[in-house]
Every structure is written in structure tokens, then in C-alpha cells.
Amino acid sequence: MTVDRRSFLAAVGTLGVASCAAPEVAAHPPVSSAPHTALHAFDVTARDRAGLATALEAARSLPGAAVSVGASLFDARFGLTRPRLLTPMPAFRNDVLDPAWCHGDVLVQLTADHPVGTVPDIPDLTPRWQMTAARHDRNLFGFKEGTANPADPDPHIRIHPEDPEPPWTVGGSYQVVRLIRLAMPIWNADSVPAQERVFGRHKATGAPLGQQGEHDLPNYPADPHGSTIPFDSHIRRANQAATPILRRGYTYRLTPDNEGHVFICYQRDLVKGFATIQSRLAGEALERYTLPFGGGYFFLLPASDPRQTLLA
């Protein structure tokens, strides 16, 4: 079943989306695989570094919290040194971004083995947007999550002392958050073989088309014409990153008619990681079923006290 962009927007248009001294490398912040998460983006209202430090420490003290910062924190207010590749997340080809669901000075991600509540009021942090979600073995489209993650992600996601980055970033990671609404009625109307060609994987096993095991490598040399794994399939397009990334996928449900995917990834180099993948995904078959509407680029702070690193 072929569905163009106009049909997708018509299908979801009534569903309610609003218009949109350096630390050691071992000092790693948490990158949790817990099944539940809550993302809380904030704008900072502190007037000086002391107020910002107090707000960051309060956020970091919350159970299961990981704290990241957005590009907007590095304006003239605090005189901070920005991570080299940190910018506001741009709108990509398939995006319909709602400013109310994008960016933020600070992102607090809570993770736990049980549903996560809200962040208590923290002085000098004003809520911007929030999203709760849960991890499952399969996403709403019925395909397995995280198959292509590197076995040992840390070397690929952590800033190293030799990287051309500010010293305070060592041990941290570039973090991307994408809030993606899914067109479930359109997707569910397609056959399983059609869905498998969109992803390039077998739905039951997670194996690349033409292979048997979930972690088997796609045999692209034996498929030069895209007969087995189409050229516009998700895995064939996404397999072009210059550096591995660590993916975390969650399912959100705002209402029975508004549900989708929270895509989070971490990388040592934002340009060679997510940005490269995203440029390759332009025009992929999966675009017909997705509507990215929010999120942002952030930098996950090292585990060290920010008063000794970011705010030094």
C-alpha cells in the first residue's frame, strides 16, 4: 500500500498534536536501559552561575536522573564553553516541529523499573515540555528495538581527552531526543511482507531480510539491486553512519489516538553519528508512517560535579 505525505498528514491531522581540571573518562554519567523513563526539558531562569549550579545539583540528586544541557544554555548569560558540535536541533526533511515540544536549556531524564513520576519543582528551572514513555522488546510497529547497538558502546559515545572538545566535556556524550508520532492506522493496513520491506528486517526474528539471526549482518554485496533489502529500507539507509551510536527506543501514549516513538541516541561525534544517519534516511520508505514533532540536541553532562567542570 502506497501512502504519500498528504495522506499521512490527513490520517493524523485530527489526532491532537499541537503545532510545534578535566574529569577522567571513567567518570561516566548513567545511560540507563531501565524500562520506564520521563523526559523533562526546562528553561533556566537563574541569574548567575551559583544559581545554575544549585539547580543542576538539585536535578542530578533526583533518583534515576541523568542531566543534559542544550545549546541555548551557552548564550551570554553564564559565559559557558559550548561543546564543539552542540547546536539547536534543525528541522529535517520529514519533520513538522512544534516549538512547544523542542529544545530546552536543561533536560532531566528519569529512568526506573517502574513508571516514573514528575520532577518536583526546582528553583530556577521552568518546565518547557515533558514526555513519559516505556521500553519494550518491540516498538509499536512490531519490530525489535536496539538490534544494531554496539556491544561495547562506551568507546563510541564518550568524549575522550584527545577529542577536540572543551576539557569539561570529557566523559560526557552528545544526546539526541526525537519525539515521533506514528501513523498506526496506515501502518496496520499494510501486509507483514510490505512492513518488512520498509524496515529491511523479518518481523518475527529481527533478522535482516535474507538472513536467519537477529544479529546477522545484511549481505548487501549479494544484493546489489536491492531485490532482497530495498534501497529505501530503514536498515539499508541507516547503515551508513561514520561512527556507531547507542540507541534507546521508548513508546509514548499521550491519548488512545496519539501514540508514538521516543528515539534517544548517544554518540561521541554528533555530526558523524546521528546527523549522518539522518541525512541518509531522507526519502526512506518509513517516512510515510512517521511524523517527528519534537525533541532536541543535548549534551549529557559528565558524572563529575559541574562546579568542577562545566561551571569551573
Side-chain angles (χ1 to χ4, degrees):
M1 177 180 178
T2 300
V3 181
D4 60 16
R5 178 77 169 164
R6 184 184 301 273
S7 299
F8 172 83
L9 292 173
V12 302
T14 62
L15 302 186
V17 168
S19 62
C20 205
E24 298 295 329
V25 177
H28 290 169
V31 177
S32 176
S33 60
H36 295 275
T37 195
L39 296 165
H40 296 263
F42 296 93
D43 293 324
V44 172
T45 58
R47 297 187 177 185
D48 53 33
R49 289 193 180 198
L52 175 58
T54 299
L56 291 177
E57 283 304 299
R60 285 157 55 96
S61 69
L62 298 172
V67 178
S68 305
V69 292
S72 56
L73 190 67
F74 297 87
D75 56 18
R77 288 174 293 173
F78 305 110
L80 305 177
T81 305
R82 181 178 58 86
R84 182 175 60 95
L85 302 176
L86 186 62
T87 65
M89 183 181 71
F92 294 96
R93 164 188 153 120
N94 198 42
D95 293 359
V96 182
L97 297 181
D98 174 4
W101 284 96
C102 294
H103 316 305
D105 291 337
V106 172
L107 180 72
V108 179
Q109 182 179 3
L110 306 179
T111 52
D113 292 329
H114 49 78
V116 182
T118 60
V119 170
D121 289 342
I122 297 176
D124 292 322
L125 294 184
T126 299
R128 184 179 180 91
W129 58 265
Q130 65 179 31
M131 179 70 78
T132 59
R135 282 177 56 81
H136 305 282
D137 290 338
R138 296 177 181 269
N139 57 39
L140 284 175
F141 283 162
F143 283 78
K144 293 190 172 185
E145 279 291 316
T147 296
N149 276 334
D152 181 16
D154 268 3
H156 304 292
I157 71 172
R158 307 294 181 181
I159 302 300
H160 290 206
E162 65 269 21
D163 291 337
E165 295 282 359
W168 73 262
T169 64
V170 174
S173 180
Y174 286 100
Q175 179 184 24
V176 176
V177 177
R178 299 275 284 170
L179 309 180
I180 307 170
R181 194 169 190 176
L182 303 182
M184 296 307 301
I186 297 175
W187 178 260
N188 290 333
D190 282 356
S191 67
V192 169
Q195 294 174 351
E196 290 179 334
R197 290 179 65 79
V198 168
F199 273 96
R201 291 188 181 274
H202 294 288
K203 195 170 186 178
T205 64
L209 295 180
Q211 304 298 319
Q212 300 298 315
E214 177 183 355
H215 298 288
D216 290 349
L217 295 177
N219 192 356
Y220 296 131
D223 185 28
H225 303 295
S227 302
T228 301
I229 302 178
F231 289 125
D232 63 352
S233 66
H234 185 69
I235 69 166
R236 194 149 192 164
R237 292 292 185 90
N239 193 44
Q240 305 297 323
T243 184
I245 66 175
L246 175 65
R247 299 166 175 83
R248 290 283 186 259
Y250 298 85
T251 293
Y252 81 81
R253 288 184 171 90
L254 291 179
T255 70
D257 290 329
N258 184 349
E259 56 187 358
H261 190 69
V262 179
F263 173 86
I264 302 174
C265 72
Y266 303 87
Q267 54 262 283
R268 185 176 170 186
D269 188 312
L270 183 57
V271 172
K272 293 180 180 179
F274 173 80
T276 295
I277 294 173
Q278 195 65 27
S279 66
R280 299 280 187 172
L281 291 178
E284 66 165 336
L286 191 59
E287 280 187 352
R288 304 180 187 119
Y289 311 93
T290 62
L291 185 69
F293 66 91
Y297 286 173
F298 299 94
F299 190 86
L300 180 63
L301 295 179
S304 303
D305 186 337
R307 288 171 293 190
Q308 303 301 319
T309 53
L310 169 67
L311 300 169

